[in-house]
Amino acid sequence: MGPGSRGGDPRPGTQSGHPHRGRRTLCDPDRPELLDAFRIAQRAMLLQMRHSAPDQAGQRRHRADTVALDPPVCPEATWRPFQLAFFLLALDGVADPGHRERETTDLIWFPTGGGKTEAYLLLAAFTIALRRIRGEGGGTTVLSRYTLSLLTTQQFQRAATTICALEHLRRTEPGLGLGGEPITIGLWVGDTTTPNKFQAAKDAFDEQREASHPEDVFILDRCPWCGTRILPPTRSSVRSDYGVRAETDEFTFYCTLTSAPSTTSYPLFDWCPRRGQGAVDRSLGRG
């Protein structure tokens, strides 16, 4: 690490005490929107955890399989201390565009499987909610970049479930203040992994429509909300078995489950996604 970065050990004189400042910021009575956004992010992450379980999006299932549309969340779910500490460390820089800590990079150093992804997804959900509550409009709010395209695609499913959770809250609870514009996600990993143009995506989908055994060429192999397959395992004459709408100016995934909520229909190729994700050798921005 070099200047302008800080790691995960709270050494005296560096980041010691920062989580306490974040806690005070979060409870600032002059900025109630911070606590409102935090509560929304908490709910979104609770939904994300539940819908990532094996009986939901954690396991791919057929369209005819039965799946709970509104499964109960776990009332005993808790955060690990380092996850909340990371959020509080970054809070001042996120909440205040002019804060000096916006020049600082926060690094999570924790073993594989320890919960790093959930820590930054919490911060991402908070940032998206805060921007909406403050009335700052749409636009790309979060960028995530990974060292390998393979890692990017692995993380995309979990990020998409989080975005579905936020969009679910936006649509079902207008009083939260998340606005009238959909909350979406975009992906850029190069055209060797997934089509990067509408026409190329349409051509790829048309090819899969005729294939005897459709392949998962569009990254998402299942609905990130319930786990229903995006493409059928074998060729089908029923158009609704294919959870893709591909046109020359639009590409959309949607859940093929007959009783699926509208939350599970969203564009992949959005010109200005609220959350963008890609590999380090790619860039993502407004088209």
Side-chain angles (χ1 to χ4, degrees), residues 19-199:
H20 297 292
R21 290 205 301 271
R23 184 177 61 184
R24 290 194 294 270
T25 298
L26 186 62
C27 299
D28 185 351
D30 294 328
R31 291 184 286 178
E33 73 277 7
L34 300 182
L35 195 54
D36 289 342
F38 180 65
R39 287 169 174 155
I40 291 172
Q42 291 267 48
R43 292 181 61 192
M45 291 307 299
L46 191 60
L47 287 169
Q48 189 263 6
M49 181 185 74
R50 182 63 187 91
H51 283 270
S52 297
D55 66 327
Q56 294 286 308
Q59 181 174 314
R60 189 161 62 163
R61 67 195 73 257
H62 295 285
R63 184 186 184 193
D65 293 347
T66 301
V67 59
L69 296 181
D70 188 20
V73 297
C74 177
E76 299 178 357
T78 59
W79 288 104
R80 293 173 179 171
F82 90 89
Q83 293 171 322
L84 286 179
F86 171 74
F87 173 82
L88 293 173
L89 279 169
L91 178 58
D92 281 309
V94 170
D96 180 4
H99 199 279
R100 58 185 175 83
E101 288 195 3
R102 291 181 74 89
E103 302 298 322
T104 301
T105 300
D106 292 297
L107 172 67
I108 305 179
W109 192 328
F110 214 76
T112 299
K116 296 185 295 296
T117 298
E118 286 70 25
Y120 80 76
L121 286 178
L122 171 64
L123 185 62
F126 170 83
T127 305
I128 292 171
L130 182 62
R131 179 169 179 158
R132 295 302 185 92
I133 292 173
R134 284 178 168 174
E136 296 174 352
T140 302
T141 305
V142 178
L143 289 175
S144 297
R145 305 186 75 186
Y146 295 88
T147 54
L148 298 171
S149 292
L150 177 61
L151 181 59
T152 303
T153 57
Q154 291 172 341
Q155 294 288 319
F156 185 66
Q157 174 81 29
R158 298 165 75 177
T161 304
T162 304
I163 295 301
C164 279
L166 286 166
E167 178 64 1
H168 172 76
L169 293 174
R170 186 193 72 83
R171 295 189 183 191
T172 58
E173 300 185 39
L176 292 177
L178 294 177
E181 187 176 354
I183 299 172
T184 59
I185 186 170
L187 179 69
W188 175 257
V189 288
D191 56 12
T192 58
T193 303
T194 187
N196 282 331
K197 296 181 179 179
F198 289 126
Q199 184 61 57

Side-chain angles (χ1 to χ4, degrees), residues 211-230:
S212 58
H213 293 83
E215 298 179 3
D216 299 311
V217 297
F218 297 117
I219 303 300
L220 281 183
D221 65 351
R222 71 196 72 174
C223 169
W225 195 240
C226 71
T228 302
R229 297 180 65 107
I230 295 295

Side-chain angles (χ1 to χ4, degrees), residues 197-255:
K197 296 181 179 179
F198 289 126
Q199 184 61 57
K202 185 179 185 305
D203 292 342
F205 175 64
D206 290 343
E207 182 178 331
Q208 295 308 312
R209 277 284 279 132
E210 299 301 322
S212 58
H213 293 83
E215 298 179 3
D216 299 311
V217 297
F218 297 117
I219 303 300
L220 281 183
D221 65 351
R222 71 196 72 174
C223 169
W225 195 240
C226 71
T228 302
R229 297 180 65 107
I230 295 295
L231 299 179
T234 58
R235 188 178 185 276
S236 173
S237 60
V238 180
R239 176 61 180 85
S240 56
D241 283 343
Y242 295 80
V244 170
R245 296 189 186 96
E247 304 296 340
T248 56
D249 59 352
E250 179 186 18
F251 184 91
T252 305
F253 283 127
Y254 66 92
C255 183

